Amino acid sequence: MKVIIIGGVAGGATAAARLRRLDEDAEIIIIERSGYISYANCGLPYYIGGIIERKSALTLQTPESFWSRFRIEARTGSEALGIDRARKEVRIRNLRTGEEYTEGYDKLILAPGAEAIIPPFPGVDDRRIFTLRHTEDAFRIREYAEAHRGGKAVVIGGGFIGLETAENLTHLGLEVTLVQLLDHVMPTFDSDMAAPLHRELRDNGIDLRLGTAVQGFRDEEGGRLGVITDKGSIAADFAVMAIGVRPDSSLARDAGLELDPKGSIVVSASMQTSDPDIYAAGDAVAIRNAATGRMGMIALAGPANREGRVAADNIAGIRSSFRGASGASILKCFSLTAASAGISEEAAAREGIDCGTAVAYPNSHASYYPGSEGILIKVLYEKGSGRIIGAQAVGREGTDKMMEKLSMAVSLGLTADDLAALDPAYAPPYSSAKDPVNIMGYIISNKEKGILDEFSWRDIPSLDPESTMLVDLRTVKEAERGMIEGAVNIPLDSIRGSLSMLDRSKTIYVYCRSGLRSYIGARILQGHGFRARSLSGGYLFYSLVSEDRKKKQGESAIFSL
């Protein structure tokens, strides 16, 4: 059996190695356009910043090592030009010599990946404008950035690549402006959960321009690059475009394979395309979103590796299926860790899913053990069923392992009751007896059962003092450091003795630091016949979001909606 794999890196290289382990006799050839067969794509921003010092550290396998270990022929610097499905041949060009030739196959795997989106802005072909997708891109950006230390760079796009590139350029001593079209960074996050990231970026010297549209580029005085936006021009030494990727599916389209409306290659659970002898894996394919059940592009290394393995299994005669992905991802943003899985609240609304949310600030490990820090967590669930459909978190220690559990919940379709029943490993240096994931399950379960009635930071501006009363349940010392306007401070431990201060004709809106005391307070009030609601995420979340909105709107008011 002869198998040609078009594209290396996560999907293609994984498929090749797996296929060799299953079939020692197969002839396997990888056709890779770049000069590298398998490299650390996700490590490229860290090479730019010098965190990864050596070029060689990015190279996971070379054509020589692939041949030595697996007897797989990896042809780098080679481009697949077309596929003749009837003749089962691939037309290939050697980019070094210009020679063109054909190569026959019994089975073909497409792993072309994705390509950076470059809108047709005026001046976009300027040599000072870079994209970051391949190893060679990282080499060029680092070389140019090092030659302009102390200068200024503009990063366009606030997703993973944009934030990682912005951070690493600051490590090289550049002044960095980050331009983002949306009103928040990290499109997989809701705008409120991005608030701590905005503060972290600003605190580390990033000039953050949210809600700003790039319109083109031009030359400025002194030989600098002008980045033209709808809010003025930004002068810089260079710019990095990181506004997203699209599937590199032109080869599949030209071969007549089925694509979805957005250009991704349509595959079955076995990673088989509309041609039974052609499989596909990686960023160019449409896979099942575990939260919504819909097919679409999830351009991440983890799913790409698993897809490549499934394709190889089925070619080798082993029945194997790809179940889909939760889209779990994680990002280092200076001292913070930001992670998400599933869909956001905004995405759920677009999908027509009746979505509820739970926000909390549990500790990373037992509070009495040194070094414990809070993790801001937001979990999304489908109302009625309690099924977990998404999660977002920002923190430091423990954020990664907590999101791994929540990603599993999304992937497996677990409910809030399942979260509450999970049995994580516990010791004081690592977690709490009530694990953060358990706590999120408790909150959602209480909401679904009518035990907990919450309100959001969004509701605060519209509270009517004629029908509501806002009560701060924190201690006097906590309240002295700042309160929500219009609130009355009654510490939780004094609430039973202060019932006469409350108006039974009004709904009592209570809040505390993070939500636990206000839940207890609301239950006490409800037990005494009051209508009471608790602030989701507490004063911590409220203050983060309100501070962020003041900065974005440039107003003295807390926020306006």
Side-chain angles (χ1 to χ4, degrees):
M1 178 172 61
K2 182 178 180 180
V3 180
I4 293 180
I5 302 172
I6 299 175
V9 199
T14 296
R18 173 65 172 173
L19 190 58
R20 172 58 74 223
R21 292 193 295 270
L22 298 176
D23 187 344
E24 181 65 16
D25 297 323
E27 181 183 358
I28 305 170
I29 301 172
I30 300 177
I31 305 299
E32 169 58 39
R33 187 166 42 200
S34 76
Y36 299 87
I37 190 64
S38 180
Y39 57 89
N41 190 292
C42 298
L44 299 183
Y46 301 100
Y47 172 78
I48 291 172
I51 305 300
I52 298 173
E53 297 179 354
R54 295 175 293 105
K55 290 182 179 181
S56 60
L58 296 171
T59 306
L60 306 179
Q61 291 282 355
T62 65
E64 294 75 21
S65 67
F66 237 54
W67 177 259
S68 176
R69 177 163 297 179
F70 297 110
R71 289 298 187 269
I72 292 171
E73 184 180 355
R75 300 177 188 173
T76 58
S78 296
E79 182 178 17
L81 301 176
I83 302 167
D84 186 331
R85 291 167 53 194
R87 298 171 64 92
K88 299 181 73 171
E89 290 180 343
V90 178
R91 185 162 53 91
I92 302 165
R93 175 187 293 144
N94 184 319
L95 297 177
R96 298 182 182 92
T97 65
E99 174 196 0
E100 292 187 13
Y101 61 95
T102 60
E103 194 77 59
Y105 65 85
D106 295 307
K107 299 293 181 182
L108 178 66
I109 301 177
L110 297 177
E115 58 186 358
I117 295 174
I118 306 175
F121 294 137
V124 75
D125 57 350
D126 192 291
R127 65 178 183 83
R128 293 165 293 182
I129 301 169
F130 300 88
T131 59
L132 180 58
R133 189 64 188 163
H134 303 289
T135 306
E136 293 90 343
D137 298 332
F139 295 163
R140 285 191 292 267
I141 294 173
R142 178 164 164 178
E143 181 180 0
Y144 201 89
E146 287 181 332
H148 292 82
R149 285 180 183 267
K152 184 170 182 177
V154 174
V155 176
I156 303 164
F160 286 96
I161 297 299
L163 292 187
E164 290 172 346
T165 301
E167 176 181 347
N168 279 280
L169 288 174
T170 65
H171 293 327
L172 287 182
L174 283 97
E175 180 184 344
V176 178
T177 297
L178 180 65
V179 180
Q180 168 72 334
L181 180 62
L182 299 178
D183 71 343
H184 65 283
V185 300
M186 294 300 289
T188 59
F189 274 49
D190 289 311
S191 58
D192 52 10
M193 288 296 292
L197 296 176
H198 296 163
R199 185 168 68 180
E200 183 75 2
L201 290 165
R202 294 182 181 114
D203 287 349
N204 283 278
I206 301 292
D207 178 9
L208 191 57
R209 308 282 184 95
L210 300 171
T212 302
V214 171
Q215 298 176 330
F217 305 90
R218 68 185 178 202
D219 286 323
E220 298 280 1
E221 291 184 9
R224 304 189 88 191
L225 174 70
V227 181
I228 307 167
T229 78
D230 59 346
K231 297 176 182 176
S233 181
I234 307 167
D237 294 293
F238 66 97
V240 178
M241 294 278 288
I243 62 175
V245 296
R246 62 167 62 94
D248 186 359
S249 55
S250 58
L251 200 62
R253 182 189 63 241
D254 293 346
L257 299 178
E258 183 182 357
L259 306 181
D260 74 1
K262 293 187 176 181
S264 294
I265 303 170
V266 174
V267 293
S268 67
S270 64
M271 306 311 298
Q272 192 174 52
T273 70
S274 53
D275 184 317
D277 291 319
I278 302 177
Y279 292 73
D283 294 351
V285 307
I287 60 174
R288 177 181 170 275
N289 185 304
T292 66
R294 293 182 184 273
M295 302 297 286
M297 180 183 183
I298 299 179
L300 294 167
N305 273 282
R306 296 193 294 277
E307 293 159 25
R309 180 184 177 92
V310 169
D313 282 354
N314 284 284
I315 288 173
I318 298 174
R319 294 183 60 183
S320 181
S321 297
F322 184 76
R323 301 180 182 180
S326 71
S329 53
I330 193 164
L331 167 82
K332 176 186 175 295
C333 181
F334 291 99
S335 69
L336 291 181
T337 297
S340 67
I343 58 176
S344 66
E345 191 175 358
E346 296 161 2
R350 292 195 299 268
E351 292 285 340
I353 299 174
D354 190 8
C355 168
T357 65
V359 179
Y361 264 99
N363 288 320
S364 56
H365 60 249
S367 58
Y368 57 82
Y369 188 87
S372 178
E373 294 187 76
I375 303 174
L376 174 61
I377 305 173
K378 181 177 188 178
V379 173
L380 291 77
Y381 63 95
E382 184 180 53
K383 289 183 179 179
S385 69
R387 182 174 65 91
I388 307 304
I389 59 173
Q392 301 157 44
V394 182
R396 292 183 175 84
E397 175 195 276
T399 305
D400 53 346
K401 69 174 184 177
M402 183 275 305
M403 187 53 65
E404 288 171 357
K405 300 170 193 174
L406 292 172
S407 170
M408 187 181 300
V410 175
S411 295
L412 298 179
L414 302 186
T415 66
D417 288 340
D418 293 325
L419 288 188
L422 286 180
D423 189 20
Y426 160 65
Y430 304 106
S431 186
S432 299
K434 289 183 180 179
D435 189 271
V437 174
N438 295 136
I439 290 172
M440 302 313 294
Y442 298 151
I443 293 172
I444 297 170
S445 181
N446 282 339
K447 292 181 71 170
E448 284 290 280
K449 293 171 182 175
I451 298 171
L452 172 61
D453 186 9
E454 288 190 320
F455 68 103
S456 164
W457 59 265
R458 294 183 181 88
D459 300 318
I460 293 174
S462 60
L463 292 182
D464 182 1
E466 295 298 319
S467 59
T468 66
M469 184 174 182
L470 187 60
V471 178
D472 185 331
L473 296 178
R474 297 175 300 160
T475 65
V476 173
K477 286 187 176 181
E478 287 178 290
E480 287 175 346
R481 292 194 289 267
M483 294 173 58
I484 299 175
E485 185 178 355
V488 175
N489 179 224
I490 304 175
L492 175 61
D493 292 342
S494 303
I495 195 70
R496 289 185 178 89
S498 305
L499 297 178
S500 62
M501 297 173 56
L502 306 178
D503 188 340
R504 290 184 178 274
S505 69
K506 297 182 178 181
T507 300
I508 312 301
Y509 284 70
V510 296
Y511 71 88
C512 64
R513 178 180 178 273
S514 62
L516 175 58
R517 282 175 288 176
S518 60
Y519 162 57
I520 296 170
R523 292 303 299 165
I524 291 172
L525 293 174
Q526 289 163 1
H528 287 272
F530 289 87
R531 297 186 304 276
R533 304 186 72 191
S534 171
L535 177 59
S536 177
Y539 185 77
L540 280 174
F541 193 41
Y542 165 84
S543 60
L544 269 173
V545 176
S546 59
E547 172 196 312
D548 186 53
R549 294 197 162 225
K550 280 192 289 185
K551 287 184 179 295
K552 285 192 284 191
Q553 296 171 354
E555 299 173 351
S556 58
I558 290 176
F559 46 66
S560 60
L561 299 177

